[in-house]
Amino acid sequence: MLLYVERWLKAPMQRGDGCIEPRNTGTPQGGVISPLLANLFLHYAFDTWMTRTHPAIPFERYADDIICHCRTRAEADALKVALDERLLACKLTVNPQKTKIVYCKDTNRKEEYSEITFDFLGYTFRPRLAAWPNGKFGVSFLPGASERVLRDIRKNVRQWGLQRRSDKALDDLARMFNPYIRGWINYFGHFYRSALIPTLRRIDFHLVRWAQRKLKRFRQRPRQARDWLSRVARKTPELFAHWKLLYANSRMPGAVLAERLTYRSGRARW
């Protein structure tokens, strides 16, 4: 096993122009083997160390992205110093731009702090308005799809060129692109789904333009095209993966269902 790890670490890297670049240590950014090697090394350098030295602090780690849950600012500061020393002993360093202490501000935690948001695995964690189980509304510290993810989704939708596919029927477009839409909803819609809704509505914007090219009666009538698409969506909400989220049980064209979000209290503050 050690032989393979050594070969992976020292294997030369081929750039896009075909140039071979020799390497002696580390793993290349974006390398296929990099996540596996990061998991192997950080299991020793971080996971077992945290379990041994800070058993009361829960944490999540995905490759080299880590979140530690501290109860006080003093505990967070002490952990950051200890973590810097541990990684330095393992010949690693933290990224100063990405490493920070965040205060999980919400209705019950009202202190002021400069950092109250962070990104993790495509989600942005920050204070958000949510409906609590008792029927009241308040601010909870919740994850939602990050702006970078939403921007990438909108870029992908534009690249589909839906308005130029007038040779396709509506159900053809659904079969072509539902796997992408369903994947976005299943992952980024798992928490605070309403953050995803405005971006999903951009798909319908492009479908309206498709309808204007496909159907002559809508060529210069975008409003009629929108109304037609809304009627189709309410009649067959299962056609596109996002239509159930946007149109199911809605009475008005283009209406978006409000989502009741569950408030989850937690002891971790930082």
Side-chain angles (χ1 to χ4, degrees):
M1 183 64 184
L2 293 177
L3 175 62
Y4 284 110
V5 171
E6 182 180 3
R7 288 177 177 176
W8 283 327
L9 290 174
K10 294 183 178 180
M13 179 175 61
Q14 184 176 6
R15 297 194 173 276
D17 58 1
C19 178
I20 302 296
E21 180 178 318
R23 297 174 44 259
N24 295 317
T25 59
T27 59
Q29 181 70 26
V32 176
I33 199 61
S34 296
L36 175 60
L37 294 179
N39 274 316
L40 288 174
F41 192 75
L42 286 175
H43 176 74
Y44 160 77
F46 181 82
D47 297 358
T48 57
W49 174 79
M50 280 289 294
T51 303
R52 184 177 68 253
T53 61
H54 299 84
I57 300 179
F59 67 89
E60 294 87 29
R61 182 177 67 81
Y62 184 85
D64 58 350
D65 291 332
I66 307 171
I67 299 176
C68 299
H69 303 271
C70 300
R71 293 178 175 83
T72 65
R73 172 66 188 275
E75 187 178 52
D77 287 333
L79 177 61
K80 189 174 184 300
V81 172
L83 183 57
D84 288 340
E85 294 175 352
R86 170 61 178 175
L87 294 180
L88 185 61
C90 296
K91 298 182 179 180
L92 297 175
T93 57
V94 298
N95 188 324
Q97 283 74 36
K98 296 182 178 180
T99 304
K100 59 184 178 180
I101 297 175
V102 176
Y103 180 56
C104 303
K105 188 174 183 179
D106 61 17
T107 296
N108 298 318
R109 298 185 283 253
K110 302 180 180 180
E111 296 181 26
E112 295 297 326
Y113 189 69
S114 58
E115 297 286 352
I116 58 172
T117 179
F118 66 90
D119 288 358
F120 185 66
L121 301 183
Y123 281 94
T124 294
F125 291 71
R126 64 175 179 82
R128 300 176 188 271
L129 184 66
W132 294 354
N134 59 9
K136 296 182 179 180
F137 284 84
V139 176
S140 300
F141 197 82
L142 296 171
S146 70
E147 182 55 39
R148 187 182 70 176
V149 163
L150 297 176
R151 187 167 58 248
D152 289 343
I153 292 176
R154 292 191 294 267
K155 180 180 179 180
N156 286 332
V157 172
R158 288 195 304 270
Q159 291 175 345
W160 292 348
L162 291 174
Q163 66 275 15
R164 298 190 299 272
R165 299 178 183 268
S166 56
D167 59 319
K168 304 292 184 182
L170 195 60
D171 55 348
D172 293 329
L173 297 178
R175 282 193 298 269
M176 292 170 63
F177 300 109
N178 266 343
Y180 301 95
I181 302 172
R182 193 176 296 113
W184 293 331
I185 294 175
N186 288 344
Y187 184 81
F188 297 110
H190 191 71
F191 299 103
Y192 213 87
R193 186 169 290 183
S194 57
L196 192 59
I197 287 178
T199 294
L200 294 177
R201 294 183 71 181
R202 296 296 298 176
I203 300 174
D204 287 1
F205 169 79
H206 292 282
L207 287 175
V208 168
R209 297 177 65 182
W210 167 86
Q212 289 185 266
R213 290 195 177 191
K214 180 74 173 179
L215 305 172
K216 292 183 179 180
R217 64 182 185 274
F218 297 141
R219 288 288 169 84
Q220 302 298 326
R221 298 177 177 179
R223 181 176 179 180
Q224 286 80 350
R226 285 195 300 269
D227 292 344
W228 171 82
L229 187 67
S230 296
R231 290 194 297 270
V232 173
R234 293 197 306 276
K235 185 177 180 180
T236 57
E238 71 285 350
L239 183 59
F240 279 88
H242 66 294
W243 278 0
K244 284 187 178 180
L245 180 62
L246 299 185
Y247 297 99
N249 300 323
S250 61
R251 298 181 179 179
M252 297 182 64
V256 178
L257 297 180
E259 180 187 53
R260 294 182 63 84
L261 299 169
T262 302
Y263 168 69
R264 296 181 181 180
S265 60
R267 296 179 62 189
R269 300 178 59 184
W270 295 86

